[in-house]
């Protein structure tokens, strides 16, 4: 597409900025950047160190550490589990940096604030901020339920009146997370907010992939954020429900009793593989195929999973990628650690892979065993973990697994649970699948493939080099200097 002319309709004249962007010749989409905030990790690099070492980063609160707003009869209930993964500085935000009114920022959903931060970060670290990059940048994102407004804003009508109810709603309603990001960062591609419960951020990524394939964007930010208020809180355990009895997510294990809802946020930056290679971007992984569907009504209840629905989504992604299932050597599972959900997931995966001449050739794991379930941001967390595994050619351990869930027949399936950091050996190019399933039945599966970045050759250099950095304020300049050092 090469446009830059006045388009006339009646008496209206609109100038369309000129662009040299062409539709990609292949459907492959590159992950060229990643950013996030996770329990125990403020950066992608810290997350990788935690994953490699098999570290669990869920926080366990004493009764005195739990938020004062939690009623005594709740926190003293013997079934109350004071465990949750939390992120640092969820209550902090540099409003001036994003040209936001600081008083309005106080009323803003922390999920939108954190998403703004990581969206800017992924553009800045890859050299795609609009001031430097002329291409079209889109945003595809979703958040969890806004508990901050209910607990912290709703009871202060005098503060809401300062800006008006509608203005306050634009920094709190789910609809605006993508368009708010586009406005504050001056991004001019499509800004689409996406919601499908636990598969939200994965669904956002598939929407971004399709938009790049169709030429709607040259670059797309995709992901999600989930922050709960109050932060220092837990959950009431209920037999047969999704949440864990002891605060641990023991994916696929006989002792697994459920998962833990945690805070976190993540984004990936996407570009067509063709353009990424041409531009010399670092490529963490390549998205080869995506599959999306819904279970429909043929299951036990609205919240119940369906092995058939999951299997179809996985098979769709494999078909979209144009590969054979037996070339997939790692599977990042949804892995909620529920006694019923895990066997259904493995049954669906086994069905999607079809009859195979050999068993247990594909490692499986779940990032939920490390950080808990990030709900709306869970899918992007799994994709980031898998992209890091591909980039480093290592499979991170899935922790908390000792004895298989008795309803899972791993021996006659393509899968085995990987419990130790392992070099990723593969007879073919390294490929992985990532599953994310939302309450209500929206199933998403993404096929990733490794990319071999050309080694960067440096010159001999000089005895001394000048390193420069910049910031918007003196205090920030000093802080960046310390981080750089």
């Amino acid at each position: 597409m090469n446009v830059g002319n006045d388009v006339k309709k009646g008496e209206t004249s609109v100038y369309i900025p000129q662009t040299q962007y062409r539709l990609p010749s292949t459907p492959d989409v590159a992950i060229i950047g990643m950013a996030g905030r996770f329990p125990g990790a403020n950066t992608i690099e810290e997350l990788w160190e935690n994953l490699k070492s098999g570290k669990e980063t869920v926080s366990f609160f004493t009764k005195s550490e739990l938020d004062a707003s939690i009623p005594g009869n709740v926190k003293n209930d013997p079934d109350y589990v004071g465990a949750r993964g939390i992120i640092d500085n969820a209550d902090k935000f540099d409003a001036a940096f994003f040209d936001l009114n600081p008083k309005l920022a106080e009323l803003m959903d922390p999920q939108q604030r954190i998403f703004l931060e990581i969206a800017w970060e992924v553009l800045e670290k890859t050299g795609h901020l609009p001031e430097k990059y002329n291409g079209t940048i889109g945003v595809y994102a979703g958040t969890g339920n806004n508990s901050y407004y209910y607990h912290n804003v709703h009871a202060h009508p005098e503060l809401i009146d300062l800006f008006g109810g509608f203005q306050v709603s634009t920094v709190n309603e789910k609809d605006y997370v993508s368009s708010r990001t586009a406005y504050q960062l001056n991004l001019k591609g499509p800004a689409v907010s996406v919601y499908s419960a636990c598969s939200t951020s994965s669904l956002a990524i598939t929407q971004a992939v399709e938009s790049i394939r169709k030429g709607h964007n040259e670059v797309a930010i995709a992901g999600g954020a989930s922050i709960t208020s109050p932060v220092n809180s837990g959950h009431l355990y209920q037999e047969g429900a999704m949440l864990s009895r002891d605060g641990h997510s023991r994916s696929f294990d006989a002792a697994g009793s459920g998962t833990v809802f945690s805070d976190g946020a993540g984004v990936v930056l996407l570009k067509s593989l063709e353009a990424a290679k041409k531009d010399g971007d670092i490529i963490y992984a390549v998205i080869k195929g995506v599959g999306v569907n819904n279970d429909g009504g043929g299951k036990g209840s609205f919240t119940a999973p369906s092995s058939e629905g999951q299997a179809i989504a996985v098979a769709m992604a494999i078909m979209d990628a144009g590969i054979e299932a037996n070339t997939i050597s790692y599977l990042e599972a949804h892995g909620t650690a529920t006694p019923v959900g895990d066997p259904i997931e493995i049954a669906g995966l086994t069905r999607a892979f079809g009859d195979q001449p050999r068993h247990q050739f594909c490692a499986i794991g779940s990032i939920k065993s490390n950080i808990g379930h990030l709900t709306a941001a869970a899918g992007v967390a799994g994709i980031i973990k898998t992209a890091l595994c591909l980039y480093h050619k290592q499979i991170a351990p899935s922790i908390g697994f000792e004895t298989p869930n008795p309803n899972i027949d791993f021996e006659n399936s393509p899968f085995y649970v990987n419990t130790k950091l392992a070099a990723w050996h593969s007879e073919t190019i390294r490929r992985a699948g990532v599953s994310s399933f939302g309450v209500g039945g929206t199933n998403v599966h993404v096929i990733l493939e490794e990319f071999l970045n050309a080694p960067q050759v440096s010159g001999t250099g000089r005895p001394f080099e000048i390193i420069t950095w910049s910031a918007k304020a003196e205090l920030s300049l000093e802080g960046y200097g310390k981080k750089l050092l």
Side-chain angles (χ1 to χ4, degrees):
M1 184 169 64
N2 185 357
V3 296
N5 304 310
D6 288 339
V7 178
K8 294 184 178 180
K9 185 178 181 181
E11 297 182 357
T12 303
S13 179
V14 179
Y15 180 77
I16 302 176
Q18 185 168 342
T19 175
Q20 297 298 323
Y21 183 58
R22 296 179 297 107
L23 283 174
S25 59
T26 70
D28 293 348
V29 174
I31 298 175
I32 62 169
M34 302 184 289
R37 305 283 185 272
F38 306 95
N42 294 321
T43 66
I44 297 299
E45 292 75 20
E46 290 177 5
L47 175 67
W48 178 240
E49 290 302 316
N50 289 343
L51 293 173
K52 280 199 307 180
S53 59
K55 189 175 180 181
E56 183 184 33
T57 52
V58 171
S59 295
F60 289 81
F61 306 111
T62 64
K63 285 187 169 53
S64 62
E65 291 172 332
L66 290 168
D67 194 274
S69 67
I70 301 172
N73 65 311
V74 174
K75 66 177 69 174
N76 291 319
D77 190 303
D79 287 326
Y80 190 80
V81 182
R84 203 160 70 82
I86 62 174
I87 62 174
D88 291 341
N89 300 320
D91 59 337
K92 306 292 193 303
F93 184 68
D94 189 347
F97 183 87
F98 293 101
D99 298 319
L100 267 164
N101 184 301
K103 291 298 182 183
L104 181 62
E106 289 179 5
L107 307 179
M108 188 177 188
D109 182 5
Q111 298 176 117
Q112 287 200 30
R113 298 196 302 235
I114 294 291
F115 191 84
L116 256 180
E117 290 179 351
I118 60 175
W120 177 88
E121 181 182 321
V122 79
L123 292 175
E124 197 274 342
K125 71 197 290 189
T126 59
H128 286 80
L129 284 170
E131 302 92 273
K132 301 291 184 182
Y133 178 71
N134 294 324
T136 304
I137 304 172
V139 188
Y140 297 79
T143 62
N145 292 327
N146 184 354
S147 54
Y148 179 81
Y149 183 86
Y150 176 79
H151 288 287
N152 299 78
V153 178
H154 183 260
H156 298 281
E158 73 284 359
L159 297 179
I160 297 173
D161 289 343
L162 283 175
F163 296 95
F166 180 72
Q167 178 75 342
V168 173
S169 76
T170 66
V171 293
N172 280 284
E173 294 289 350
K174 285 184 173 185
D175 305 52
Y176 303 112
V177 60
S178 290
S179 50
R180 172 62 64 179
T181 302
Y183 176 72
Q184 302 300 153
L185 300 185
N186 193 29
L187 312 178
K188 297 177 181 177
V192 182
S193 296
V194 178
Y195 308 102
S196 61
C198 309
S199 59
T200 288
S201 56
S202 282
L203 182 60
I205 289 169
T206 67
Q207 297 296 299
V209 166
E210 293 300 336
S211 77
I212 290 173
R213 287 174 170 179
K214 293 176 180 178
H216 297 166
N217 306 285
E218 290 166 74
V219 174
I221 302 166
S226 181
I227 312 291
T228 299
S229 177
V231 172
N232 286 23
S233 60
H235 63 263
L236 278 168
Y237 170 73
Q238 293 178 304
E239 186 73 31
M242 184 184 290
L243 295 170
S244 167
R245 179 190 290 110
D246 57 7
H248 300 284
S249 296
R250 307 178 194 275
S251 302
F252 317 114
D253 192 78
S257 58
T259 192
V260 179
F261 287 164
S262 296
D263 290 349
V267 291
V268 293
L269 191 65
L270 306 178
K271 182 187 282 189
S272 77
L273 178 60
E274 180 183 3
K277 291 194 291 188
K278 180 174 178 285
D279 294 342
D281 295 309
I282 292 175
I283 298 172
Y284 291 92
V286 177
I287 296 177
K288 296 285 292 182
V290 297
V292 182
N293 73 347
N294 191 274
D295 295 335
K299 56 183 183 177
S301 69
F302 178 75
T303 59
S306 162
S307 64
E308 181 182 6
Q310 293 174 13
I312 292 171
V314 176
M316 287 170 65
I318 293 171
M319 185 180 298
D320 186 46
I323 64 169
E324 297 294 329
N326 59 14
T327 65
I328 298 171
S329 46
Y330 176 69
L331 199 298
E332 175 66 18
H334 191 58
T336 54
T338 60
V340 174
D342 281 3
I344 287 176
E345 179 171 7
I346 299 301
L349 286 167
T350 302
R351 184 172 179 177
F353 271 53
D355 291 333
Q356 297 292 336
R358 58 197 177 109
H359 296 145
Q360 295 191 300
F361 60 84
C362 182
I364 196 169
S366 175
I367 194 173
K368 291 178 182 65
S369 66
N370 303 93
I371 62 176
H373 189 345
L374 303 192
T375 59
V380 69
I383 286 174
I384 287 172
K385 171 193 170 181
T386 308
L388 288 169
C389 289
L390 285 164
Y391 183 74
H392 294 286
K393 300 178 177 57
Q394 293 179 297
I395 299 178
S398 192
I399 62 176
F401 179 83
E402 294 180 3
T403 304
N405 181 313
N407 294 312
I408 298 176
D409 183 9
F410 279 118
E411 289 187 2
N412 294 303
S413 81
F415 310 106
Y416 68 93
V417 180
N418 182 70
T419 58
K420 294 181 180 180
L421 179 66
W424 190 337
H425 299 295
S426 178
E427 296 174 2
T428 62
I429 191 168
R430 294 173 182 86
R431 290 188 179 124
V434 185
S435 290
S436 187
F437 308 130
V439 168
T442 298
N443 307 306
V444 180
H445 194 78
V446 177
I447 301 294
L448 299 179
E449 184 176 277
E450 71 175 329
F451 182 84
L452 302 178
N453 292 277
Q456 299 194 4
V457 181
S458 175
T460 55
R462 309 169 190 166
F464 298 95
E465 298 283 351
I466 295 175
I467 298 175
T468 63
W469 70 96
S470 62
K472 286 191 175 184
E474 192 73 29
L475 188 62
S476 295
L477 189 72
E478 182 180 337
Y480 284 141
K482 289 179 180 177
K483 287 185 72 173
L484 183 61
L485 181 62

